[in-house]
Amino acid sequence: MRDRVLDDLLNEGILLDPEAAELVLAQADPAAYVRSILAVMTQHPLVLTAEHIKTYAQVKPSRLPPVQVNPVLEELRKSPGVMARPKDSSIEIISDITGNSTCEGSVNDFARCFNDRFKKLKKILSRRPELAGSLPVAKAVKYDREVRTIGMVSEWHNTKNGHKILEIEDEEGRCTVLIHKDSEYLNENIVNDEVIGIVGKATSKGDLLILKDLIRPDIPINNAMVPSDSSSSIAFMSDVHVGSNTFLKDAWGRMMHWLKTEGKDEIQYLVLPGDVVDGIGVFPGQEEELEIEDVFEQYHMLAELLKEVPDSIQILIQPGNHDAVRPAEPQPTFPKIIADIFDSSCMLIGNPCYMKVEGRKILTYHGRSLDDWISSVQGLSYENPIDTMDEMLKRRHLAPLYGGKTPLAPEKEDHLVIEEIPDIFVTGHVHGAGINMYRGVTTICASTWQSQTPFQKMHNFSPDPALLPVVHLGTGKAEMHDFS
Ligand SMILES: [Fe+2]
Ligand SMILES: [Fe+2]
């Protein structure tokens, strides 16, 4: 009975994590129960978790009407996307899922994607001198001496005696790691599915490692941006949300005036890291917050607004969770029908996108996973999104947390691993703004052009709109231009 119910759901494309499966199977009609949960969710995750069930089981459809499925939008979301070529050779795409997606969403795909994550991060960790001679996890616990090993965290919990227990695994096996209550690492935030290095000592029983040092892939401490002879600057303009009735027309006008006058000589590249339009059907009741209710018209309006950008500036457009592309990350760029709306000065890229601009390495990611980081890791907040970006760099992964708000597509390769160290790392999504530096990487949260939304007001969140971060590609100097 149990397997048949789960198989039937799988045939409908519904995957459940083990805890969710237990909750569902405890119901009188498991299939009807799952459908009632999905009916009130604004976006369907690839895997339904216990967290989803606990959250949405409370929601009465009358209070939270399901978003109407728009057939046009559904088609757009299935499109593989077309990547427009840059008009000059100063932009080189290093990594982008556009045109490379192989994902079919099967359970095997997930295993393959997680294996790839493990391999890539193990390779980075293996270069660390502290982890020289590391052993497979199952072997490491068998030695009666200090050992080194590398594993992916499958789960962790605090014990009633005040210690912390981690379960880690590699391709061959798994083991338990104990972080003693007196360890300096006790309060270290551990995230499921992150890959870590362990220096530890096995107990005489041979089934547990006592942690001595926890090593993260991280950015090397001596990493630095090397100045180049480029005289160009790049600006980042996230979360424009054209079509929303809270789009900041006046601030946009001030920014555009600057771009056409003083900014014209300063800026050579302009990147829009996602949520370029407000979209449709993103959350229940969105129609009431839209000035433009047709998604194509929203993109037409954006294209009109961008026509004012001086021709000397190369524009790059990336999708976010409000855009009409596949919501699961990595997101391919826009489908042809939308790409055709923009003129040839706009280059369309996927999310995330790793590129070189005049030799400067730039990682631009819309930042949907910031929601999961902030809700799961103590000390992180919407007020300081830059701190969360540091956590991504430490773990060399944009979205290790699986099963949260960030839908993940299990591609053959895990495109969310930060394999190469960028000079500039940009996100948006949370509508905050900031510039910082983490071990030689300039980190930027690229503001928004939308004022406080009713949802943000309800959650007492004040955005930082109408700010334009600009980085000089030669010197690396970064500054924020204020148009609020
Ligand atoms: Fe946004
Ligand atoms: Fe967003």
Side-chain angles (χ1 to χ4, degrees):
M1 149 81 179
R2 181 193 167 89
D3 287 349
R4 194 174 55 77
V5 170
L6 294 178
D7 279 353
D8 286 351
L9 291 169
L10 191 62
N11 287 338
E12 289 180 42
I14 302 164
L15 284 165
L16 299 161
D17 80 2
E19 213 187 323
E22 291 311 315
L23 289 172
V24 166
L25 291 165
Q27 306 298 319
D29 184 347
Y33 183 70
V34 170
R35 285 185 204 105
S36 73
I37 300 279
L38 292 173
V40 291
M41 294 181 82
T42 52
Q43 280 185 354
H44 292 176
L46 282 164
V47 176
L48 201 62
T49 64
E51 201 56 34
H52 290 130
I53 292 182
K54 285 172 196 159
T55 307
Y56 289 93
Q58 312 300 327
V59 181
K60 296 274 176 296
S62 55
R63 278 177 49 225
L64 189 58
V67 172
Q68 293 300 314
V69 177
N70 181 312
V72 179
L73 194 59
E74 287 301 294
E75 272 316 300
L76 292 175
R77 285 176 170 170
K78 282 186 210 148
S79 160
V82 273
M83 181 173 271
R85 292 287 117 209
K87 66 181 176 189
D88 59 47
S89 57
S90 55
I91 301 174
E92 182 192 342
I93 300 296
I94 310 287
S95 170
D96 188 307
I97 193 62
T98 308
N100 300 313
S101 177
T102 54
C103 160
E104 285 167 13
S106 73
V107 177
N108 280 345
D109 286 346
F110 278 99
R112 198 172 52 172
C113 186
F114 274 72
N115 268 334
D116 183 67
R117 173 187 305 185
F118 180 70
K119 269 199 198 110
K120 284 176 172 162
L121 292 170
K122 183 181 173 186
K123 196 169 157 196
I124 295 171
L125 279 162
S126 299
R127 290 189 211 120
R128 298 284 296 268
E130 306 96 304
L131 292 170
S134 63
L135 297 164
V137 292
K139 257 191 191 159
V141 280
K142 305 291 176 211
Y143 285 83
D144 186 21
R145 60 171 166 83
E146 190 174 280
V147 288
R148 287 136 177 76
T149 189
I150 295 168
M152 183 181 277
V153 178
S154 55
E155 57 181 294
W156 66 271
H157 65 272
N158 295 313
T159 71
K160 58 179 187 298
N161 298 326
H163 310 300
K164 191 175 266 181
I165 295 281
L166 318 180
E167 297 293 333
I168 63 167
E169 58 189 328
D170 63 11
E171 300 105 325
E172 294 169 33
R174 51 194 297 148
C175 80
T176 305
V177 179
L178 179 122
I179 307 181
H180 194 272
K181 64 176 189 244
D182 298 329
S183 165
E184 61 180 295
Y185 295 103
L186 183 73
N187 295 322
E188 198 63 40
N189 282 312
I190 305 290
V191 169
N192 279 352
D193 302 322
E194 69 165 304
V195 179
I196 54 174
I198 301 282
V199 179
K201 191 151 184 333
T203 57
S204 53
K205 280 193 197 161
D207 59 354
L208 187 74
L209 277 181
I210 313 286
L211 181 117
K212 186 178 163 227
D213 271 319
L214 189 153
I215 320 280
R216 288 222 158 83
D218 219 323
I219 306 293
I221 205 150
N222 57 354
N223 177 63
M225 186 190 268
V226 180
S228 75
D229 56 6
S230 167
S231 57
S232 301
S233 285
I234 186 163
F236 300 96
M237 188 192 282
S238 196
D239 293 78
V240 182
H241 285 271
V242 170
S244 157
N245 60 19
T246 44
F247 171 60
L248 290 164
K249 288 181 188 143
D250 291 350
W252 177 272
R254 286 190 289 277
M255 179 275 298
M256 197 53 81
H257 174 75
W258 176 81
L259 214 50
K260 290 193 286 190
T261 52
E262 285 166 71
K264 190 176 165 199
D265 296 328
E266 187 181 331
I267 311 289
Q268 283 68 42
Y269 306 93
L270 175 65
V271 182
L272 278 64
D275 286 0
V276 299
V277 300
D278 206 47
I280 52 167
V282 182
F283 55 87
Q286 190 187 12
E287 319 77 72
E288 280 153 46
E289 295 175 30
L290 290 177
E291 191 173 286
I292 305 171
E293 288 185 17
D294 181 289
V295 72
F296 293 104
E297 278 180 37
Q298 293 178 1
Y299 284 105
H300 274 288
M301 175 55 81
L302 174 68
E304 277 306 303
L305 291 169
L306 292 177
K307 272 184 190 154
E308 280 198 69
V309 174
D311 287 345
S312 56
I313 299 175
Q314 166 75 64
I315 302 169
L316 294 101
I317 306 177
Q318 178 173 54
N321 57 305
H322 278 248
D323 287 289
V325 304
R326 165 176 103 179
E329 297 181 2
Q331 295 177 291
T333 198
F334 301 89
K336 187 171 184 314
I337 193 165
I338 289 176
D340 288 345
I341 295 171
F342 296 97
D343 65 31
S344 59
S345 67
C346 298
M347 179 180 175
L348 305 176
I349 56 175
N351 172 45
C353 181
Y354 191 86
M355 60 186 148
K356 269 189 189 170
V357 179
E358 298 193 15
R360 192 59 77 202
K361 290 177 283 178
I362 300 172
L363 172 61
T364 171
Y365 170 55
H366 175 61
R368 180 86 203 259
S369 73
L370 286 160
D371 291 329
D372 292 324
W373 282 98
I374 291 166
S375 62
S376 315
V377 176
Q378 223 178 5
L380 299 179
S381 72
Y382 282 100
E383 280 67 36
N384 296 304
I386 294 273
D387 293 351
T388 305
M389 297 173 73
D390 293 355
E391 297 300 314
M392 296 181 191
L393 290 171
K394 281 179 200 167
R395 290 165 179 86
R396 299 288 286 269
H397 202 282
L398 297 170
L401 294 143
Y402 174 67
K405 284 185 186 161
T406 315
L408 298 173
E411 295 290 347
K412 196 165 59 186
E413 277 185 54
D414 186 346
H415 290 258
L416 302 171
V417 174
I418 306 173
E419 270 189 282
E420 279 196 61
I421 300 169
D423 294 312
I424 304 167
F425 173 31
V426 184
T427 64
H429 181 63
V430 290
H431 297 201
I435 300 176
N436 212 337
M437 172 80 76
Y438 178 76
R439 297 192 173 182
V441 180
T442 300
T443 48
I444 294 173
C445 192
S447 186
T448 176
W449 296 82
Q450 182 180 38
S451 61
Q452 192 184 42
T453 64
F455 179 80
Q456 291 167 344
K457 200 169 185 179
M458 199 167 77
H459 287 85
N460 220 2
F461 173 75
S462 302
D464 288 321
L467 297 166
L468 187 71
V470 173
V471 187
H472 190 280
L473 292 174
T475 62
K477 189 171 167 281
E479 60 181 332
M480 198 69 95
H481 292 258
D482 189 349
F483 299 98
S484 59

